[in-house]
Amino acid sequence: METVEESANKVEEEVGRVVEQARDLQESGASLISRLSNEEQSLRQKANSLESSIRRLRSLINSLLSQKLLDPRLADKLEEDLQRARCIITDGDAAAFLPAKAQGRFLRMFLGPINVRASRKDVQLKVKEEYNSYRDRTAFLFLLFPLTLLILRSWIWEGCLPAFPVQLYEAWLLFLYTGLALRENILQANGSDIRPWWIYHHYCAMVMALVSLTWEIKGQPNCAQKQRGVELFLQWAMMQGVAMLLQNRYQRQRLYTRIALGKANRMDVVWGETAGVDGQLWVLCPILFLMQGFEAYVGLQLLKTAVVGVVSEWQIIFCGIVLILMAVGNFINTVQTLMVKSRFKAKMKRTKSKQELD
């Protein structure tokens, strides 16, 4: 049998081996991290250099075009090649070595100084897919929630909406727009091309939903007159739900085509209620313009309600002004999008006709 001293020596030797292995592991890990850090720094420098080269070449092409020293067809081809090279970088694992976009105040306000940029492309794409799934779910609710309230108002509540269901809907709108704004800021930090107005639009909608929660829902007498603004807003929300469903379906198909052609990167998303899609513009644009006009009309009706004195609370005036501003902003962005599409289509036609002449 082993003596107490022999057992102690054996345990001491094993503990010593474990401590030595821990030191070796720490040294190996530190050496690996140092080597990877050096290699990562080298790749970051290469990525920055390549980005600078792409910007410089684009500027050079534009300069030569303006001086008529470069054939427009060749310039178009070179521009497409540069865009393809840019998509190769941003869509692949090399995107992790590109300079990270600065996180806005909105993210810092909600999450603090946390880096939300994913280092792996598959994680970034999961974030994008979750955003698309969130838009799909909320589009149906955007249509069903106000539709349910209006049906219950006519069938059960005798033409007068109770305060609680309306405030519950407004609380859901606040949750919805906050979730969209957070997701879009995270997507933007991960390289997605989202128009700034689309995010600002959700900021305005968040503020409006927050203010509307303090809006006292008036009842009898003259309930129909007092709740006219609420009724119009619910009708507009239904139209927006229809537009969101159409865009989520058609725009995403078009976006996948552009990604396959190398004209967009995989982190790009559809732009919401300010853009249309070639091939579906005849369907979407009338709905978009009608919805924007109706949005402005609802805002004017709220202001009219406050001015006439039917319901003169400051929340109504504020929400009316915000609705009008959002309608104007959406209209301007829709027109800008159509102009960009028109210029691109004309450019493609010119290129095609020149190729046929050759």
Side-chain angles (χ1 to χ4, degrees), residues 4-21:
V4 174
E5 184 177 353
E6 289 176 345
S7 299
N9 290 336
K10 186 177 294 185
V11 171
E12 187 177 1
E13 289 177 1
E14 290 184 4
V15 170
R17 283 196 299 271
V18 168
V19 172
E20 189 64 29
Q21 290 173 0

Side-chain angles (χ1 to χ4, degrees), residues 48-104:
N48 290 335
S49 175
L50 192 54
E51 279 268 284
S52 300
S53 297
I54 291 174
R55 287 195 299 267
R56 178 179 56 80
L57 287 171
R58 279 179 170 166
S59 177
L60 179 61
I61 290 171
N62 291 331
S63 176
L64 292 175
L65 264 178
S66 63
Q67 299 174 22
K68 297 182 179 180
L69 298 176
L70 186 64
D71 182 41
R73 288 174 298 176
L74 178 59
D76 291 342
K77 180 182 179 302
L78 294 175
E79 182 65 34
E80 288 183 4
D81 290 342
L82 287 176
Q83 178 63 26
R84 193 171 293 110
R86 180 78 174 82
C87 287
I88 290 173
I89 299 171
T90 56
D91 280 349
D93 294 328
F97 304 109
L98 293 172
K101 294 183 179 180
Q103 294 178 190

Side-chain angles (χ1 to χ4, degrees), residues 264-282:
N265 70 66
R266 288 186 292 172
M267 282 302 294
D268 288 350
V269 296
V270 296
W271 285 334
E273 65 195 55
T274 60
V277 181
D278 191 22
Q280 286 84 33
L281 290 178
W282 293 108

Side-chain angles (χ1 to χ4, degrees), residues 84-150:
R84 193 171 293 110
R86 180 78 174 82
C87 287
I88 290 173
I89 299 171
T90 56
D91 280 349
D93 294 328
F97 304 109
L98 293 172
K101 294 183 179 180
Q103 294 178 190
R105 294 180 181 178
F106 187 78
L107 277 180
R108 292 198 301 270
M109 180 176 65
F110 277 89
L111 304 179
I114 298 176
N115 182 20
V116 296
R117 182 180 173 89
S119 59
R120 290 166 47 190
K121 199 65 184 180
D122 59 331
V123 177
Q124 292 181 347
L125 293 175
K126 285 181 180 178
V127 174
K128 175 193 167 182
E129 289 304 318
E130 197 281 332
Y131 170 77
N132 287 334
S133 176
Y134 184 76
R135 278 177 57 92
D136 289 337
R137 296 194 305 270
T138 54
F140 281 107
L141 289 175
F142 225 115
L143 178 61
L144 293 177
F145 212 144
L147 178 62
T148 303
L149 288 177
L150 289 174

Side-chain angles (χ1 to χ4, degrees), residues 66 80 103 115 129 154 166 202 232 326 348:
S66 63
E80 288 183 4
Q103 294 178 190
N115 182 20
E129 289 304 318
S154 300
V166 177
H202 287 157
L232 290 171
M326 287 196 300
M348 294 297 293

Side-chain angles (χ1 to χ4, degrees), residues 111-327:
L111 304 179
I114 298 176
N115 182 20
V116 296
R117 182 180 173 89
S119 59
R120 290 166 47 190
K121 199 65 184 180
D122 59 331
V123 177
Q124 292 181 347
L125 293 175
K126 285 181 180 178
V127 174
K128 175 193 167 182
E129 289 304 318
E130 197 281 332
Y131 170 77
N132 287 334
S133 176
Y134 184 76
R135 278 177 57 92
D136 289 337
R137 296 194 305 270
T138 54
F140 281 107
L141 289 175
F142 225 115
L143 178 61
L144 293 177
F145 212 144
L147 178 62
T148 303
L149 288 177
L150 289 174
I151 291 175
L152 291 176
R153 174 179 178 269
S154 300
W155 291 1
I156 298 178
W157 293 326
E158 299 179 350
C160 193
L161 286 164
F164 178 72
V166 177
Q167 291 175 337
L168 182 63
Y169 174 63
E170 291 163 350
W172 177 80
L173 284 179
L174 178 61
F175 169 78
L176 162 68
Y177 285 122
T178 304
L180 283 172
L182 280 170
R183 285 166 170 83
E184 286 161 355
N185 275 275
I186 292 173
L187 282 169
Q188 196 173 55
N190 282 276
S192 183
D193 181 23
I194 299 177
R195 287 195 172 186
W197 164 250
W198 185 228
I199 301 179
Y200 296 148
H201 172 273
H202 287 157
Y203 292 161
C204 292
M206 283 171 52
V207 175
M208 185 181 68
L210 182 61
V211 170
S212 66
L213 278 171
T214 65
W215 176 2
E216 183 182 358
I217 307 298
K218 301 290 186 179
Q220 300 291 357
N222 300 326
C223 181
Q225 185 180 8
K226 293 176 181 178
Q227 293 189 359
R228 179 59 178 164
V230 177
E231 180 185 3
L232 290 171
F233 181 82
L234 292 175
Q235 291 173 358
W236 167 78
M238 290 171 55
M239 293 175 60
Q240 190 175 23
V242 172
M244 288 174 65
L245 286 171
L246 287 172
Q247 288 174 319
N248 288 353
R249 177 182 176 185
Y250 294 121
Q251 285 187 320
R252 202 168 301 159
Q253 293 175 356
R254 180 61 178 167
L255 180 62
Y256 290 150
T257 302
R258 288 178 55 80
I259 291 172
L261 294 174
K263 296 178 180 178
N265 70 66
R266 288 186 292 172
M267 282 302 294
D268 288 350
V269 296
V270 296
W271 285 334
E273 65 195 55
T274 60
V277 181
D278 191 22
Q280 286 84 33
L281 290 178
W282 293 108
V283 177
L284 285 175
C285 280
I287 294 177
L288 291 175
F289 287 127
L290 182 62
M291 186 177 67
Q292 292 156 9
F294 195 69
E295 184 177 20
Y297 173 73
V298 173
L300 290 172
Q301 286 296 111
L302 290 177
L303 292 179
K304 180 181 177 182
T305 303
V307 171
V308 171
V310 177
V311 183
S312 57
E313 297 179 354
W314 69 269
Q315 293 94 331
I316 297 177
I317 299 174
F318 182 87
C319 291
I321 294 173
V322 172
L323 277 173
I324 294 171
L325 290 176
M326 287 196 300

